[in-house]
Amino acid sequence: MKTITLKTEEEFFKYLDNLSKNLGKSKSQIIREAVIEYGERIKREKIYKKMEKLSKQLSKDKKYLQEIKEIEMLSEDSVE
């Protein structure tokens, strides 16, 4: 493993120390998990923004909207 030095305020250090004791995990483990979780959250937000942008673009496409309506109608039909 590689070593990283982190400078922090006393208040943050105490918070991390208490968290470490309460969770039974090392400070390093808590920081590793937090950084990974943060990175995953950033990825999800980027994907969400791209999907939202694409959704807005597609909603302006009349042909696309008609195809969606046709699919919805097909899904409402019952097969007997």
Side-chain angles (χ1 to χ4, degrees):
M1 274 198 182
K2 300 285 184 174
T3 300
I4 296 174
T5 302
L6 174 68
K7 292 184 179 185
T8 183
E9 300 292 328
E10 182 69 24
E11 186 177 316
F12 178 80
F13 182 82
K14 288 178 182 179
Y15 177 79
L16 181 59
D17 194 46
N18 286 333
L19 194 59
S20 172
K21 290 174 185 172
N22 290 334
L23 296 175
K25 295 181 180 184
S26 69
K27 290 183 226 31
S28 294
Q29 183 64 33
I30 292 169
I31 293 170
R32 279 193 297 271
E33 290 174 3
V35 169
I36 290 169
E37 186 175 325
Y38 179 73
E40 292 299 316
R41 189 178 93 206
I42 296 299
K43 265 197 273 188
R44 284 190 305 272
E45 287 174 0
K46 283 183 180 180
I47 291 169
Y48 177 77
K49 285 179 184 177
K50 286 182 181 182
M51 290 174 64
E52 192 174 56
K53 182 180 176 182
L54 181 60
S55 175
K56 287 179 183 177
Q57 289 172 343
L58 290 175
S59 69
K60 293 176 185 175
D61 182 348
K62 301 297 181 191
K63 183 179 177 187
Y64 168 78
L65 288 174
Q66 182 58 38
E67 289 176 9
I68 293 296
K69 288 178 184 175
E70 289 173 7
I71 291 170
E72 287 174 344
M73 288 173 51
L74 287 173
S75 67
E76 291 173 0
D77 289 343
S78 61
V79 178
E80 294 179 15

